[in-house]
mmCIF file of all heavy atoms in Angstrom:
data_model
loop_
_atom_site.group_PDB
_atom_site.id
_atom_site.type_symbol
_atom_site.label_atom_id
_atom_site.label_comp_id
_atom_site.label_asym_id
_atom_site.label_seq_id
_atom_site.Cartn_x
_atom_site.Cartn_y
_atom_site.Cartn_z
ATOM 1 N N GLN A 397 3.756 -14.454 7.499
ATOM 2 C CA GLN A 397 4.221 -13.858 8.749
ATOM 3 C C GLN A 397 4.848 -12.494 8.491
ATOM 4 O O GLN A 397 4.563 -11.506 9.187
ATOM 5 C CB GLN A 397 5.230 -14.782 9.424
ATOM 6 C CG GLN A 397 4.652 -16.104 9.898
ATOM 7 C CD GLN A 397 5.745 -17.084 10.326
ATOM 8 O OE1 GLN A 397 6.841 -16.681 10.715
ATOM 9 N NE2 GLN A 397 5.460 -18.366 10.241
ATOM 10 N N ALA A 398 5.731 -12.438 7.491
ATOM 11 C CA ALA A 398 6.375 -11.166 7.157
ATOM 12 C C ALA A 398 5.363 -10.166 6.612
ATOM 13 O O ALA A 398 5.432 -8.969 6.905
ATOM 14 C CB ALA A 398 7.489 -11.407 6.139
ATOM 15 N N MET A 399 4.404 -10.667 5.826
ATOM 16 C CA MET A 399 3.412 -9.792 5.216
ATOM 17 C C MET A 399 2.550 -9.101 6.273
ATOM 18 O O MET A 399 2.197 -7.927 6.127
ATOM 19 C CB MET A 399 2.519 -10.588 4.277
ATOM 20 C CG MET A 399 1.595 -9.737 3.433
ATOM 21 S SD MET A 399 2.390 -9.112 1.961
ATOM 22 C CE MET A 399 2.419 -10.610 0.971
ATOM 23 N N ALA A 400 2.209 -9.809 7.326
ATOM 24 C CA ALA A 400 1.359 -9.219 8.368
ATOM 25 C C ALA A 400 2.044 -8.006 8.990
ATOM 26 O O ALA A 400 1.425 -6.945 9.169
ATOM 27 C CB ALA A 400 1.044 -10.269 9.433
ATOM 28 N N ALA A 401 3.327 -8.146 9.310
ATOM 29 C CA ALA A 401 4.062 -7.026 9.895
ATOM 30 C C ALA A 401 4.279 -5.917 8.872
ATOM 31 O O ALA A 401 4.179 -4.730 9.184
ATOM 32 C CB ALA A 401 5.401 -7.522 10.447
ATOM 33 N N PHE A 402 4.563 -6.297 7.637
ATOM 34 C CA PHE A 402 4.826 -5.310 6.586
ATOM 35 C C PHE A 402 3.583 -4.476 6.294
ATOM 36 O O PHE A 402 3.643 -3.252 6.197
ATOM 37 C CB PHE A 402 5.292 -6.024 5.321
ATOM 38 C CG PHE A 402 5.667 -5.088 4.193
ATOM 39 C CD1 PHE A 402 6.927 -4.516 4.152
ATOM 40 C CD2 PHE A 402 4.771 -4.791 3.189
ATOM 41 C CE1 PHE A 402 7.273 -3.650 3.123
ATOM 42 C CE2 PHE A 402 5.105 -3.935 2.159
ATOM 43 C CZ PHE A 402 6.367 -3.369 2.125
ATOM 44 N N ARG A 403 2.423 -5.133 6.179
ATOM 45 C CA ARG A 403 1.196 -4.421 5.862
ATOM 46 C C ARG A 403 0.761 -3.511 7.019
ATOM 47 O O ARG A 403 0.197 -2.445 6.794
ATOM 48 C CB ARG A 403 0.073 -5.413 5.542
ATOM 49 C CG ARG A 403 0.264 -6.169 4.243
ATOM 50 C CD ARG A 403 0.039 -5.280 3.056
ATOM 51 N NE ARG A 403 -1.317 -4.775 3.036
ATOM 52 C CZ ARG A 403 -1.689 -3.670 2.385
ATOM 53 N NH1 ARG A 403 -0.794 -2.957 1.739
ATOM 54 N NH2 ARG A 403 -2.949 -3.278 2.402
ATOM 55 N N ALA A 404 1.034 -3.950 8.245
ATOM 56 C CA ALA A 404 0.697 -3.104 9.395
ATOM 57 C C ALA A 404 1.510 -1.815 9.378
ATOM 58 O O ALA A 404 1.008 -0.745 9.731
ATOM 59 C CB ALA A 404 0.932 -3.872 10.692
ATOM 60 N N ALA A 405 2.765 -1.919 8.951
ATOM 61 C CA ALA A 405 3.641 -0.748 8.928
ATOM 62 C C ALA A 405 3.481 0.081 7.655
ATOM 63 O O ALA A 405 3.695 1.295 7.679
ATOM 64 C CB ALA A 405 5.099 -1.186 9.077
ATOM 65 N N HIS A 406 3.100 -0.574 6.549
ATOM 66 C CA HIS A 406 3.043 0.124 5.250
ATOM 67 C C HIS A 406 1.739 -0.226 4.524
ATOM 68 O O HIS A 406 1.757 -0.897 3.482
ATOM 69 C CB HIS A 406 4.250 -0.257 4.391
ATOM 70 C CG HIS A 406 5.563 -0.166 5.106
ATOM 71 N ND1 HIS A 406 6.150 1.039 5.436
ATOM 72 C CD2 HIS A 406 6.392 -1.133 5.575
ATOM 73 C CE1 HIS A 406 7.285 0.817 6.061
ATOM 74 N NE2 HIS A 406 7.458 -0.486 6.166
ATOM 75 N N PRO A 407 0.610 0.228 5.023
ATOM 76 C CA PRO A 407 -0.673 -0.174 4.434
ATOM 77 C C PRO A 407 -0.911 0.351 3.025
ATOM 78 O O PRO A 407 -1.768 -0.168 2.311
ATOM 79 C CB PRO A 407 -1.699 0.406 5.413
ATOM 80 C CG PRO A 407 -0.991 1.547 6.077
ATOM 81 C CD PRO A 407 0.440 1.114 6.187
ATOM 82 N N ASP A 408 -0.167 1.381 2.597
ATOM 83 C CA ASP A 408 -0.382 1.962 1.276
ATOM 84 C C ASP A 408 0.446 1.290 0.180
ATOM 85 O O ASP A 408 0.307 1.636 -0.996
ATOM 86 C CB ASP A 408 -0.069 3.462 1.288
ATOM 87 C CG ASP A 408 -1.025 4.240 2.180
ATOM 88 O OD1 ASP A 408 -2.183 3.815 2.275
ATOM 89 O OD2 ASP A 408 -0.609 5.244 2.772
ATOM 90 N N ILE A 409 1.310 0.359 0.561
ATOM 91 C CA ILE A 409 2.147 -0.324 -0.433
ATOM 92 C C ILE A 409 1.439 -1.585 -0.909
ATOM 93 O O ILE A 409 1.013 -2.418 -0.108
ATOM 94 C CB ILE A 409 3.530 -0.669 0.151
ATOM 95 C CG1 ILE A 409 4.286 0.622 0.487
ATOM 96 C CG2 ILE A 409 4.338 -1.515 -0.824
ATOM 97 C CD1 ILE A 409 5.650 0.398 1.112
ATOM 98 N N VAL A 410 1.310 -1.727 -2.218
ATOM 99 C CA VAL A 410 0.695 -2.913 -2.817
ATOM 100 C C VAL A 410 1.741 -4.011 -2.936
ATOM 101 O O VAL A 410 2.874 -3.755 -3.355
ATOM 102 C CB VAL A 410 0.123 -2.580 -4.206
ATOM 103 C CG1 VAL A 410 -0.440 -3.823 -4.878
ATOM 104 C CG2 VAL A 410 -0.952 -1.502 -4.096
ATOM 105 N N VAL A 411 1.375 -5.226 -2.557
ATOM 106 C CA VAL A 411 2.272 -6.370 -2.670
ATOM 107 C C VAL A 411 1.652 -7.392 -3.619
ATOM 108 O O VAL A 411 0.524 -7.829 -3.401
ATOM 109 C CB VAL A 411 2.552 -7.028 -1.302
ATOM 110 C CG1 VAL A 411 3.534 -8.196 -1.471
ATOM 111 C CG2 VAL A 411 3.111 -6.011 -0.322
ATOM 112 N N ARG A 412 2.388 -7.745 -4.660
ATOM 113 C CA ARG A 412 1.961 -8.795 -5.577
ATOM 114 C C ARG A 412 2.828 -10.027 -5.311
ATOM 115 O O ARG A 412 4.026 -10.023 -5.559
ATOM 116 C CB ARG A 412 2.116 -8.354 -7.031
ATOM 117 C CG ARG A 412 1.149 -7.244 -7.429
ATOM 118 C CD ARG A 412 1.298 -6.840 -8.879
ATOM 119 N NE ARG A 412 0.392 -5.747 -9.212
ATOM 120 C CZ ARG A 412 0.463 -5.039 -10.341
ATOM 121 N NH1 ARG A 412 1.386 -5.332 -11.239
ATOM 122 N NH2 ARG A 412 -0.398 -4.072 -10.566
ATOM 123 N N SER A 413 2.198 -11.064 -4.803
ATOM 124 C CA SER A 413 2.922 -12.267 -4.384
ATOM 125 C C SER A 413 2.437 -13.457 -5.183
ATOM 126 O O SER A 413 1.243 -13.606 -5.451
ATOM 127 C CB SER A 413 2.707 -12.506 -2.887
ATOM 128 O OG SER A 413 3.389 -13.657 -2.458
ATOM 129 N N GLN A 414 3.369 -14.316 -5.574
ATOM 130 C CA GLN A 414 3.011 -15.517 -6.306
ATOM 131 C C GLN A 414 3.889 -16.683 -5.870
ATOM 132 O O GLN A 414 4.956 -16.485 -5.282
ATOM 133 C CB GLN A 414 3.133 -15.300 -7.811
ATOM 134 C CG GLN A 414 4.508 -14.846 -8.279
ATOM 135 C CD GLN A 414 4.520 -14.550 -9.766
ATOM 136 O OE1 GLN A 414 4.236 -15.412 -10.595
ATOM 137 N NE2 GLN A 414 4.855 -13.320 -10.122
ATOM 138 N N ILE A 415 3.415 -17.896 -6.150
ATOM 139 C CA ILE A 415 4.160 -19.114 -5.847
ATOM 140 C C ILE A 415 4.784 -19.632 -7.131
ATOM 141 O O ILE A 415 4.121 -19.703 -8.175
ATOM 142 C CB ILE A 415 3.236 -20.182 -5.230
ATOM 143 C CG1 ILE A 415 2.657 -19.682 -3.899
ATOM 144 C CG2 ILE A 415 3.985 -21.489 -5.018
ATOM 145 C CD1 ILE A 415 1.668 -20.634 -3.268
ATOM 146 N N ALA A 416 6.062 -19.989 -7.062
ATOM 147 C CA ALA A 416 6.767 -20.476 -8.241
ATOM 148 C C ALA A 416 7.953 -21.327 -7.799
ATOM 149 O O ALA A 416 8.479 -21.145 -6.697
ATOM 150 C CB ALA A 416 7.257 -19.314 -9.105
ATOM 151 N N PRO A 417 8.419 -22.263 -8.642
ATOM 152 C CA PRO A 417 9.631 -23.023 -8.322
ATOM 153 C C PRO A 417 10.865 -22.138 -8.418
ATOM 154 O O PRO A 417 10.837 -21.078 -9.058
ATOM 155 C CB PRO A 417 9.652 -24.124 -9.389
ATOM 156 C CG PRO A 417 8.824 -23.600 -10.504
ATOM 157 C CD PRO A 417 7.790 -22.717 -9.898
ATOM 158 N N MET A 418 11.952 -22.594 -7.790
ATOM 159 C CA MET A 418 13.144 -21.758 -7.687
ATOM 160 C C MET A 418 13.672 -21.326 -9.051
ATOM 161 O O MET A 418 14.044 -20.166 -9.246
ATOM 162 C CB MET A 418 14.248 -22.495 -6.927
ATOM 163 C CG MET A 418 15.482 -21.612 -6.691
ATOM 164 S SD MET A 418 16.873 -22.473 -5.969
ATOM 165 C CE MET A 418 17.441 -23.426 -7.379
ATOM 166 N N ARG A 419 13.733 -22.238 -10.020
ATOM 167 C CA ARG A 419 14.317 -21.880 -11.317
ATOM 168 C C ARG A 419 13.531 -20.748 -11.976
ATOM 169 O O ARG A 419 14.107 -19.892 -12.657
ATOM 170 C CB ARG A 419 14.395 -23.097 -12.233
ATOM 171 C CG ARG A 419 13.064 -23.715 -12.615
ATOM 172 C CD ARG A 419 13.263 -24.959 -13.457
ATOM 173 N NE ARG A 419 12.001 -25.557 -13.869
ATOM 174 C CZ ARG A 419 11.279 -26.372 -13.118
ATOM 175 N NH1 ARG A 419 11.692 -26.686 -11.901
ATOM 176 N NH2 ARG A 419 10.139 -26.878 -13.577
ATOM 177 N N HIS A 420 12.215 -20.731 -11.785
ATOM 178 C CA HIS A 420 11.405 -19.656 -12.336
ATOM 179 C C HIS A 420 11.637 -18.357 -11.572
ATOM 180 O O HIS A 420 11.637 -17.270 -12.167
ATOM 181 C CB HIS A 420 9.930 -20.030 -12.294
ATOM 182 C CG HIS A 420 9.567 -21.139 -13.241
ATOM 183 N ND1 HIS A 420 8.334 -21.771 -13.226
ATOM 184 C CD2 HIS A 420 10.281 -21.741 -14.222
ATOM 185 C CE1 HIS A 420 8.310 -22.711 -14.158
ATOM 186 N NE2 HIS A 420 9.481 -22.712 -14.768
ATOM 187 N N ILE A 421 11.800 -18.450 -10.257
ATOM 188 C CA ILE A 421 12.033 -17.259 -9.450
ATOM 189 C C ILE A 421 13.343 -16.589 -9.845
ATOM 190 O O ILE A 421 13.413 -15.363 -9.988
ATOM 191 C CB ILE A 421 12.029 -17.619 -7.950
ATOM 192 C CG1 ILE A 421 10.616 -18.016 -7.521
ATOM 193 C CG2 ILE A 421 12.538 -16.461 -7.098
ATOM 194 C CD1 ILE A 421 10.517 -18.529 -6.105
ATOM 195 N N VAL A 422 14.380 -17.377 -10.053
ATOM 196 C CA VAL A 422 15.674 -16.824 -10.480
ATOM 197 C C VAL A 422 15.517 -16.106 -11.812
ATOM 198 O O VAL A 422 16.038 -14.993 -12.011
ATOM 199 C CB VAL A 422 16.728 -17.941 -10.568
ATOM 200 C CG1 VAL A 422 17.990 -17.434 -11.260
ATOM 201 C CG2 VAL A 422 17.072 -18.459 -9.173
ATOM 202 N N GLN A 423 14.810 -16.714 -12.752
ATOM 203 C CA GLN A 423 14.637 -16.084 -14.065
ATOM 204 C C GLN A 423 13.788 -14.827 -13.966
ATOM 205 O O GLN A 423 14.046 -13.828 -14.652
ATOM 206 C CB GLN A 423 13.986 -17.075 -15.040
ATOM 207 C CG GLN A 423 14.007 -16.600 -16.488
ATOM 208 C CD GLN A 423 15.414 -16.338 -16.991
ATOM 209 O OE1 GLN A 423 16.309 -17.176 -16.853
ATOM 210 N NE2 GLN A 423 15.633 -15.167 -17.563
ATOM 211 N N MET A 424 12.765 -14.830 -13.104
ATOM 212 C CA MET A 424 11.936 -13.641 -12.935
ATOM 213 C C MET A 424 12.743 -12.484 -12.356
ATOM 214 O O MET A 424 12.526 -11.319 -12.712
ATOM 215 C CB MET A 424 10.729 -13.962 -12.054
ATOM 216 C CG MET A 424 9.648 -14.753 -12.768
ATOM 217 S SD MET A 424 8.105 -14.889 -11.823
ATOM 218 C CE MET A 424 8.581 -16.082 -10.570
ATOM 219 N N LEU A 425 13.687 -12.788 -11.456
ATOM 220 C CA LEU A 425 14.572 -11.747 -10.936
ATOM 221 C C LEU A 425 15.447 -11.191 -12.046
ATOM 222 O O LEU A 425 15.647 -9.971 -12.147
ATOM 223 C CB LEU A 425 15.448 -12.315 -9.807
ATOM 224 C CG LEU A 425 14.781 -12.480 -8.441
ATOM 225 C CD1 LEU A 425 15.664 -13.324 -7.526
ATOM 226 C CD2 LEU A 425 14.508 -11.118 -7.802
ATOM 227 N N ARG A 426 15.972 -12.065 -12.881
ATOM 228 C CA ARG A 426 16.819 -11.618 -13.992
ATOM 229 C C ARG A 426 16.045 -10.759 -14.982
ATOM 230 O O ARG A 426 16.573 -9.790 -15.527
ATOM 231 C CB ARG A 426 17.418 -12.829 -14.698
ATOM 232 C CG ARG A 426 18.505 -13.534 -13.896
ATOM 233 C CD ARG A 426 18.911 -14.830 -14.534
ATOM 234 N NE ARG A 426 20.065 -15.415 -13.836
ATOM 235 C CZ ARG A 426 20.381 -16.707 -13.878
ATOM 236 N NH1 ARG A 426 19.641 -17.541 -14.613
ATOM 237 N NH2 ARG A 426 21.431 -17.157 -13.217
ATOM 238 N N ASP A 427 14.785 -11.116 -15.217
ATOM 239 C CA ASP A 427 13.958 -10.389 -16.189
ATOM 240 C C ASP A 427 13.360 -9.118 -15.619
ATOM 241 O O ASP A 427 12.754 -8.333 -16.354
ATOM 242 C CB ASP A 427 12.828 -11.293 -16.698
ATOM 243 C CG ASP A 427 13.341 -12.465 -17.515
ATOM 244 O OD1 ASP A 427 14.499 -12.402 -17.992
ATOM 245 O OD2 ASP A 427 12.591 -13.453 -17.674
ATOM 246 N N GLY A 428 13.487 -8.916 -14.305
ATOM 247 C CA GLY A 428 12.900 -7.741 -13.680
ATOM 248 C C GLY A 428 11.426 -7.867 -13.389
ATOM 249 O O GLY A 428 10.766 -6.873 -13.069
ATOM 250 N N ASP A 429 10.875 -9.085 -13.463
ATOM 251 C CA ASP A 429 9.451 -9.283 -13.192
ATOM 252 C C ASP A 429 9.138 -9.230 -11.699
ATOM 253 O O ASP A 429 8.000 -8.963 -11.313
ATOM 254 C CB ASP A 429 8.984 -10.623 -13.764
ATOM 255 C CG ASP A 429 9.075 -10.667 -15.281
ATOM 256 O OD1 ASP A 429 8.941 -9.601 -15.903
ATOM 257 O OD2 ASP A 429 9.302 -11.759 -15.838
ATOM 258 N N ILE A 430 10.124 -9.550 -10.856
ATOM 259 C CA ILE A 430 9.975 -9.463 -9.408
ATOM 260 C C ILE A 430 11.223 -8.808 -8.831
ATOM 261 O O ILE A 430 12.267 -8.729 -9.502
ATOM 262 C CB ILE A 430 9.764 -10.848 -8.749
ATOM 263 C CG1 ILE A 430 10.966 -11.773 -9.033
ATOM 264 C CG2 ILE A 430 8.472 -11.487 -9.214
ATOM 265 C CD1 ILE A 430 10.931 -13.076 -8.271
ATOM 266 N N SER A 431 11.107 -8.350 -7.595
ATOM 267 C CA SER A 431 12.252 -7.741 -6.907
ATOM 268 C C SER A 431 12.789 -8.615 -5.780
ATOM 269 O O SER A 431 13.947 -8.468 -5.381
ATOM 270 C CB SER A 431 11.856 -6.378 -6.323
ATOM 271 O OG SER A 431 11.445 -5.494 -7.331
ATOM 272 N N VAL A 432 11.938 -9.516 -5.256
ATOM 273 C CA VAL A 432 12.301 -10.335 -4.102
ATOM 274 C C VAL A 432 11.828 -11.762 -4.337
ATOM 275 O O VAL A 432 10.710 -11.983 -4.820
ATOM 276 C CB VAL A 432 11.660 -9.789 -2.805
ATOM 277 C CG1 VAL A 432 12.077 -10.631 -1.605
ATOM 278 C CG2 VAL A 432 12.040 -8.327 -2.587
ATOM 279 N N GLY A 433 12.673 -12.732 -4.006
ATOM 280 C CA GLY A 433 12.295 -14.132 -4.078
ATOM 281 C C GLY A 433 12.670 -14.852 -2.796
ATOM 282 O O GLY A 433 13.638 -14.479 -2.128
ATOM 283 N N VAL A 434 11.895 -15.874 -2.432
ATOM 284 C CA VAL A 434 12.189 -16.682 -1.245
ATOM 285 C C VAL A 434 12.130 -18.146 -1.663
ATOM 286 O O VAL A 434 11.101 -18.611 -2.173
ATOM 287 C CB VAL A 434 11.186 -16.428 -0.103
ATOM 288 C CG1 VAL A 434 11.632 -17.162 1.160
ATOM 289 C CG2 VAL A 434 11.049 -14.939 0.179
ATOM 290 N N VAL A 435 13.233 -18.864 -1.461
ATOM 291 C CA VAL A 435 13.325 -20.258 -1.901
ATOM 292 C C VAL A 435 13.956 -21.104 -0.807
ATOM 293 O O VAL A 435 14.539 -20.585 0.141
ATOM 294 C CB VAL A 435 14.155 -20.381 -3.202
ATOM 295 C CG1 VAL A 435 13.513 -19.588 -4.327
ATOM 296 C CG2 VAL A 435 15.591 -19.912 -2.981
ATOM 297 N N MET A 436 13.862 -22.427 -0.981
ATOM 298 C CA MET A 436 14.482 -23.351 -0.024
ATOM 299 C C MET A 436 15.713 -23.969 -0.658
ATOM 300 O O MET A 436 15.824 -25.184 -0.838
ATOM 301 C CB MET A 436 13.466 -24.402 0.401
ATOM 302 C CG MET A 436 12.273 -23.799 1.121
ATOM 303 S SD MET A 436 11.214 -25.005 1.916
ATOM 304 C CE MET A 436 12.313 -25.621 3.195
ATOM 305 N N ASN A 437 16.647 -23.100 -0.992
ATOM 306 C CA ASN A 437 17.880 -23.542 -1.632
ATOM 307 C C ASN A 437 18.850 -22.366 -1.588
ATOM 308 O O ASN A 437 18.470 -21.242 -1.923
ATOM 309 C CB ASN A 437 17.599 -23.951 -3.084
ATOM 310 C CG ASN A 437 18.726 -24.767 -3.682
ATOM 311 O OD1 ASN A 437 19.889 -24.410 -3.572
ATOM 312 N ND2 ASN A 437 18.366 -25.865 -4.340
ATOM 313 N N ASP A 438 20.080 -22.615 -1.153
ATOM 314 C CA ASP A 438 21.073 -21.546 -1.096
ATOM 315 C C ASP A 438 22.100 -21.655 -2.224
ATOM 316 O O ASP A 438 23.216 -21.156 -2.114
ATOM 317 C CB ASP A 438 21.786 -21.530 0.256
ATOM 318 C CG ASP A 438 22.497 -22.848 0.561
ATOM 319 O OD1 ASP A 438 22.355 -23.811 -0.220
ATOM 320 O OD2 ASP A 438 23.184 -22.919 1.608
ATOM 321 N N LYS A 439 21.709 -22.297 -3.320
ATOM 322 C CA LYS A 439 22.601 -22.434 -4.464
ATOM 323 C C LYS A 439 23.015 -21.059 -4.982
ATOM 324 O O LYS A 439 22.179 -20.185 -5.183
ATOM 325 C CB LYS A 439 21.888 -23.213 -5.579
ATOM 326 C CG LYS A 439 22.692 -23.354 -6.854
ATOM 327 C CD LYS A 439 21.875 -24.078 -7.922
ATOM 328 C CE LYS A 439 22.637 -24.167 -9.233
ATOM 329 N NZ LYS A 439 21.836 -24.850 -10.282
ATOM 330 N N PRO A 440 24.314 -20.831 -5.210
ATOM 331 C CA PRO A 440 24.755 -19.518 -5.694
ATOM 332 C C PRO A 440 24.445 -19.329 -7.182
ATOM 333 O O PRO A 440 24.420 -20.288 -7.958
ATOM 334 C CB PRO A 440 26.269 -19.543 -5.448
ATOM 335 C CG PRO A 440 26.636 -20.995 -5.491
ATOM 336 C CD PRO A 440 25.454 -21.740 -4.930
ATOM 337 N N HIS A 441 24.194 -18.094 -7.553
ATOM 338 C CA HIS A 441 24.003 -17.704 -8.945
ATOM 339 C C HIS A 441 24.839 -16.452 -9.185
ATOM 340 O O HIS A 441 24.888 -15.560 -8.334
ATOM 341 C CB HIS A 441 22.529 -17.415 -9.234
ATOM 342 C CG HIS A 441 21.614 -18.568 -8.948
ATOM 343 N ND1 HIS A 441 21.352 -19.557 -9.863
ATOM 344 C CD2 HIS A 441 20.902 -18.888 -7.833
ATOM 345 C CE1 HIS A 441 20.518 -20.434 -9.332
ATOM 346 N NE2 HIS A 441 20.231 -20.054 -8.103
ATOM 347 N N PRO A 442 25.502 -16.330 -10.343
ATOM 348 C CA PRO A 442 26.439 -15.227 -10.547
ATOM 349 C C PRO A 442 25.809 -13.845 -10.485
ATOM 350 O O PRO A 442 26.468 -12.881 -10.130
ATOM 351 C CB PRO A 442 27.007 -15.502 -11.953
ATOM 352 C CG PRO A 442 26.033 -16.435 -12.602
ATOM 353 C CD PRO A 442 25.446 -17.248 -11.494
ATOM 354 N N ASP A 443 24.531 -13.712 -10.823
ATOM 355 C CA ASP A 443 23.889 -12.396 -10.864
ATOM 356 C C ASP A 443 22.797 -12.241 -9.813
ATOM 357 O O ASP A 443 22.016 -11.298 -9.863
ATOM 358 C CB ASP A 443 23.308 -12.145 -12.256
ATOM 359 C CG ASP A 443 22.393 -13.274 -12.721
ATOM 360 O OD1 ASP A 443 22.398 -14.339 -12.073
ATOM 361 O OD2 ASP A 443 21.692 -13.103 -13.736
ATOM 362 N N ILE A 444 22.748 -13.169 -8.862
ATOM 363 C CA ILE A 444 21.697 -13.150 -7.846
ATOM 364 C C ILE A 444 22.326 -13.097 -6.449
ATOM 365 O O ILE A 444 23.256 -13.849 -6.149
ATOM 366 C CB ILE A 444 20.790 -14.398 -7.949
ATOM 367 C CG1 ILE A 444 20.140 -14.474 -9.327
ATOM 368 C CG2 ILE A 444 19.736 -14.386 -6.848
ATOM 369 C CD1 ILE A 444 19.209 -13.329 -9.651
ATOM 370 N N ARG A 445 21.808 -12.215 -5.623
ATOM 371 C CA ARG A 445 22.255 -12.130 -4.230
ATOM 372 C C ARG A 445 21.461 -13.140 -3.412
ATOM 373 O O ARG A 445 20.234 -13.136 -3.416
ATOM 374 C CB ARG A 445 22.019 -10.723 -3.697
ATOM 375 C CG ARG A 445 22.474 -10.499 -2.259
ATOM 376 C CD ARG A 445 22.093 -9.091 -1.834
ATOM 377 N NE ARG A 445 22.578 -8.767 -0.498
ATOM 378 C CZ ARG A 445 22.255 -7.659 0.154
ATOM 379 N NH1 ARG A 445 21.446 -6.768 -0.425
ATOM 380 N NH2 ARG A 445 22.724 -7.426 1.366
#
Side-chain angles (χ1 to χ4, degrees):
Q397 294 169 26
M399 189 84 75
F402 183 83
R403 291 288 298 158
H406 311 288
D408 295 328
I409 296 178
V410 176
V411 182
R412 292 181 182 168
S413 180
Q414 57 184 301
I415 298 176
M418 185 186 74
R419 63 183 181 277
H420 291 170
I421 291 174
V422 169
Q423 191 58 50
M424 284 190 286
L425 282 168
R426 288 171 173 158
D427 294 341
D429 295 330
I430 60 172
S431 299
V432 181
V434 187
V435 299
M436 297 191 67
N437 196 312
D438 59 354
K439 177 183 177 181
H441 302 274
D443 53 348
I444 301 297
R445 181 184 184 188

